[in-house]
Amino acid sequence: MSILVVGSVAFDSIKTPFGVADDVLGGSACYFSTSASFFTDVNLVAVIGDDFPQEHVDFLRSRNINLDGLQKSSGETFRWKGRYDYDLNEAHTLETHLNVFESFKPELPENYRDAEYVFLANIDPELQLEVLQQVKNPKLVACDTMNFWIEGKKEELIKTLAKVDILVINDAEVRQLADEPNIIKAAEIVRGFGPRILVVKRGEYGVLMFGEGSIFSAPAYPLEEVFDPTGAGDTFAGGFVGYLAATRNLDEHNLRKATVFGTVMASFTVEKFSLDRLREIEFSEISDRYKKIKLLTEFADID
Ligand code: AMP
């Protein structure tokens, strides 16, 4: 079953303690779609400027991502500039240039409107809602966001969240959105805004999934070298929603498996800049890491 995704397609400029990259392919929708494409078909909605190179379009097509909803406008593509210090869990945004996203009016191609699985990747919550309103009868709506929108457009974000089933968000952001420092209490408050499931990303400490009366914890894949964490969250979401859409099963058991697939996908992205690591991997490497995480968390019952 294919997924409809709206989000950013970007040029990222990144500095980590291990290197620098300028104007590389990034954006929430690119990471999400590339990751999800290992599991299912993806229909992408986004906007690029006239500076966006054909080689990036060709790469997305090579992953079988449907680009009928990728608009090209005159102007510059969205740009994000960020820095990480030795605590790679925290991204410091240096510059955000919305550029062509400022005047973007998403218009879904007819063949996208029957989407059953929808992912509202990190982008202006008003655009997220505009896209969602054009989808006839979605079975699952998942969503991501970030501090930039929580600070600038909280009311609009809360309106979008009322229509969302699963929110994928990082720990600092869930605290900020709930205005509550305790993560368990914060998760309950945010679930009260609409999403029945909340997936909280905690960088190298893994993921917590909160449902009705349940919490599931998945560790991060233990990597010796993390090079650039940019896109880890979107890549997680791509594996998570990709697996759910591919298996068409939303029970707790399957949600847990999806969480681990998301974790595995993110573990590849952080090994290189941009989408470079995702360009190389085969599905067998994904399965190997899945099995290793299972072993990592296995322990015996009480005697
Ligand atoms: P993450 O998975 O959270 O590391 O997301 C990183 C990606 O988010 C980068 O590739 C950026 O281009 C993109 N990004 C950063 N800020 C924004 C924003 N305000 N809206 C949409 N996308 C953004």
Side-chain angles (χ1 to χ4, degrees), residues 132-146:
L132 195 52
Q133 280 163 345
Q134 296 173 52
V135 182
K136 289 180 194 150
N137 191 17
K139 190 174 157 150
L140 179 83
V141 180
C143 174
D144 188 4
T145 192
M146 74 181 288

PDB file of all heavy atoms in Angstrom, residues 132-146:
ATOM      1  N   LEU A 132      -3.810  17.346   3.999  1.00  0.00           N
ATOM      2  CA  LEU A 132      -4.699  16.343   4.600  1.00  0.00           C
ATOM      3  C   LEU A 132      -6.157  16.553   4.173  1.00  0.00           C
ATOM      4  O   LEU A 132      -6.889  15.578   3.935  1.00  0.00           O
ATOM      5  CB  LEU A 132      -4.559  16.441   6.130  1.00  0.00           C
ATOM      6  CG  LEU A 132      -5.116  15.291   6.929  1.00  0.00           C
ATOM      7  CD1 LEU A 132      -4.582  13.959   6.425  1.00  0.00           C
ATOM      8  CD2 LEU A 132      -4.748  15.473   8.401  1.00  0.00           C
ATOM      9  N   GLN A 133      -6.550  17.826   4.045  1.00  0.00           N
ATOM     10  CA  GLN A 133      -7.941  18.112   3.665  1.00  0.00           C
ATOM     11  C   GLN A 133      -8.270  17.621   2.255  1.00  0.00           C
ATOM     12  O   GLN A 133      -9.437  17.450   1.914  1.00  0.00           O
ATOM     13  CB  GLN A 133      -8.212  19.619   3.791  1.00  0.00           C
ATOM     14  CG  GLN A 133      -8.469  19.986   5.247  1.00  0.00           C
ATOM     15  CD  GLN A 133      -8.345  21.470   5.529  1.00  0.00           C
ATOM     16  OE1 GLN A 133      -7.802  22.226   4.723  1.00  0.00           O
ATOM     17  NE2 GLN A 133      -8.832  21.900   6.691  1.00  0.00           N
ATOM     18  N   GLN A 134      -7.245  17.369   1.445  1.00  0.00           N
ATOM     19  CA  GLN A 134      -7.504  16.911   0.075  1.00  0.00           C
ATOM     20  C   GLN A 134      -7.513  15.386  -0.043  1.00  0.00           C
ATOM     21  O   GLN A 134      -7.761  14.839  -1.107  1.00  0.00           O
ATOM     22  CB  GLN A 134      -6.440  17.480  -0.858  1.00  0.00           C
ATOM     23  CG  GLN A 134      -6.493  18.998  -0.939  1.00  0.00           C
ATOM     24  CD  GLN A 134      -5.325  19.555  -1.745  1.00  0.00           C
ATOM     25  OE1 GLN A 134      -5.075  19.133  -2.865  1.00  0.00           O
ATOM     26  NE2 GLN A 134      -4.600  20.494  -1.171  1.00  0.00           N
ATOM     27  N   VAL A 135      -7.232  14.707   1.071  1.00  0.00           N
ATOM     28  CA  VAL A 135      -7.223  13.237   1.040  1.00  0.00           C
ATOM     29  C   VAL A 135      -8.606  12.755   1.465  1.00  0.00           C
ATOM     30  O   VAL A 135      -9.150  13.204   2.472  1.00  0.00           O
ATOM     31  CB  VAL A 135      -6.149  12.668   1.997  1.00  0.00           C
ATOM     32  CG1 VAL A 135      -6.125  11.144   1.925  1.00  0.00           C
ATOM     33  CG2 VAL A 135      -4.781  13.237   1.669  1.00  0.00           C
ATOM     34  N   LYS A 136      -9.186  11.821   0.655  1.00  0.00           N
ATOM     35  CA  LYS A 136     -10.600  11.461   0.863  1.00  0.00           C
ATOM     36  C   LYS A 136     -10.866  10.736   2.173  1.00  0.00           C
ATOM     37  O   LYS A 136     -11.704  11.143   2.967  1.00  0.00           O
ATOM     38  CB  LYS A 136     -11.082  10.604  -0.314  1.00  0.00           C
ATOM     39  CG  LYS A 136     -11.222  11.405  -1.585  1.00  0.00           C
ATOM     40  CD  LYS A 136     -11.703  10.514  -2.724  1.00  0.00           C
ATOM     41  CE  LYS A 136     -11.498  11.242  -4.060  1.00  0.00           C
ATOM     42  NZ  LYS A 136     -11.258  10.326  -5.164  1.00  0.00           N
ATOM     43  N   ASN A 137     -10.155   9.610   2.391  1.00  0.00           N
ATOM     44  CA  ASN A 137     -10.527   8.780   3.529  1.00  0.00           C
ATOM     45  C   ASN A 137      -9.317   8.025   4.081  1.00  0.00           C
ATOM     46  O   ASN A 137      -9.236   6.799   3.956  1.00  0.00           O
ATOM     47  CB  ASN A 137     -11.616   7.798   3.042  1.00  0.00           C
ATOM     48  CG  ASN A 137     -12.257   7.069   4.189  1.00  0.00           C
ATOM     49  OD1 ASN A 137     -12.144   7.477   5.339  1.00  0.00           O
ATOM     50  ND2 ASN A 137     -12.898   5.950   3.881  1.00  0.00           N
ATOM     51  N   PRO A 138      -8.374   8.760   4.680  1.00  0.00           N
ATOM     52  CA  PRO A 138      -7.137   8.083   5.099  1.00  0.00           C
ATOM     53  C   PRO A 138      -7.368   7.099   6.239  1.00  0.00           C
ATOM     54  O   PRO A 138      -8.219   7.328   7.097  1.00  0.00           O
ATOM     55  CB  PRO A 138      -6.247   9.240   5.574  1.00  0.00           C
ATOM     56  CG  PRO A 138      -7.176  10.355   5.892  1.00  0.00           C
ATOM     57  CD  PRO A 138      -8.387  10.183   5.036  1.00  0.00           C
ATOM     58  N   LYS A 139      -6.603   6.005   6.198  1.00  0.00           N
ATOM     59  CA  LYS A 139      -6.720   4.984   7.231  1.00  0.00           C
ATOM     60  C   LYS A 139      -5.769   5.303   8.390  1.00  0.00           C
ATOM     61  O   LYS A 139      -6.080   5.039   9.545  1.00  0.00           O
ATOM     62  CB  LYS A 139      -6.291   3.660   6.562  1.00  0.00           C
ATOM     63  CG  LYS A 139      -6.544   2.431   7.352  1.00  0.00           C
ATOM     64  CD  LYS A 139      -6.192   1.226   6.484  1.00  0.00           C
ATOM     65  CE  LYS A 139      -5.896   0.102   7.447  1.00  0.00           C
ATOM     66  NZ  LYS A 139      -6.134  -1.161   7.096  1.00  0.00           N
ATOM     67  N   LEU A 140      -4.627   5.874   8.057  1.00  0.00           N
ATOM     68  CA  LEU A 140      -3.634   6.235   9.085  1.00  0.00           C
ATOM     69  C   LEU A 140      -2.962   7.559   8.699  1.00  0.00           C
ATOM     70  O   LEU A 140      -2.448   7.689   7.595  1.00  0.00           O
ATOM     71  CB  LEU A 140      -2.542   5.165   9.180  1.00  0.00           C
ATOM     72  CG  LEU A 140      -1.474   5.512  10.223  1.00  0.00           C
ATOM     73  CD1 LEU A 140      -1.937   5.094  11.607  1.00  0.00           C
ATOM     74  CD2 LEU A 140      -0.149   4.849   9.911  1.00  0.00           C
ATOM     75  N   VAL A 141      -3.006   8.506   9.641  1.00  0.00           N
ATOM     76  CA  VAL A 141      -2.302   9.777   9.415  1.00  0.00           C
ATOM     77  C   VAL A 141      -1.229   9.915  10.489  1.00  0.00           C
ATOM     78  O   VAL A 141      -1.525   9.936  11.687  1.00  0.00           O
ATOM     79  CB  VAL A 141      -3.262  10.990   9.500  1.00  0.00           C
ATOM     80  CG1 VAL A 141      -2.490  12.288   9.270  1.00  0.00           C
ATOM     81  CG2 VAL A 141      -4.404  10.847   8.502  1.00  0.00           C
ATOM     82  N   ALA A 142       0.027   9.968  10.059  1.00  0.00           N
ATOM     83  CA  ALA A 142       1.128  10.173  10.993  1.00  0.00           C
ATOM     84  C   ALA A 142       1.765  11.523  10.678  1.00  0.00           C
ATOM     85  O   ALA A 142       1.618  12.049   9.568  1.00  0.00           O
ATOM     86  CB  ALA A 142       2.147   9.041  10.875  1.00  0.00           C
ATOM     87  N   CYS A 143       2.445  12.080  11.664  1.00  0.00           N
ATOM     88  CA  CYS A 143       2.907  13.467  11.529  1.00  0.00           C
ATOM     89  C   CYS A 143       4.203  13.675  12.306  1.00  0.00           C
ATOM     90  O   CYS A 143       4.455  13.007  13.303  1.00  0.00           O
ATOM     91  CB  CYS A 143       1.777  14.328  12.094  1.00  0.00           C
ATOM     92  SG  CYS A 143       2.097  16.078  12.239  1.00  0.00           S
ATOM     93  N   ASP A 144       5.015  14.591  11.846  1.00  0.00           N
ATOM     94  CA  ASP A 144       6.237  15.000  12.543  1.00  0.00           C
ATOM     95  C   ASP A 144       6.215  16.522  12.610  1.00  0.00           C
ATOM     96  O   ASP A 144       5.478  17.172  11.869  1.00  0.00           O
ATOM     97  CB  ASP A 144       7.456  14.514  11.725  1.00  0.00           C
ATOM     98  CG  ASP A 144       8.786  14.701  12.444  1.00  0.00           C
ATOM     99  OD1 ASP A 144       8.797  15.136  13.611  1.00  0.00           O
ATOM    100  OD2 ASP A 144       9.826  14.397  11.825  1.00  0.00           O
ATOM    101  N   THR A 145       7.008  17.097  13.495  1.00  0.00           N
ATOM    102  CA  THR A 145       7.141  18.545  13.537  1.00  0.00           C
ATOM    103  C   THR A 145       8.463  18.881  14.213  1.00  0.00           C
ATOM    104  O   THR A 145       9.244  17.983  14.522  1.00  0.00           O
ATOM    105  CB  THR A 145       5.936  19.199  14.238  1.00  0.00           C
ATOM    106  OG1 THR A 145       5.990  20.611  14.002  1.00  0.00           O
ATOM    107  CG2 THR A 145       5.908  18.921  15.741  1.00  0.00           C
ATOM    108  N   MET A 146       8.736  20.158  14.441  1.00  0.00           N
ATOM    109  CA  MET A 146       9.977  20.520  15.144  1.00  0.00           C
ATOM    110  C   MET A 146       9.803  21.829  15.896  1.00  0.00           C
ATOM    111  O   MET A 146       8.794  22.523  15.730  1.00  0.00           O
ATOM    112  CB  MET A 146      11.143  20.597  14.167  1.00  0.00           C
ATOM    113  CG  MET A 146      11.113  21.816  13.278  1.00  0.00           C
ATOM    114  SD  MET A 146      12.485  21.872  12.106  1.00  0.00           S
ATOM    115  CE  MET A 146      13.870  22.237  13.170  1.00  0.00           C
TER     116      MET A 146
END
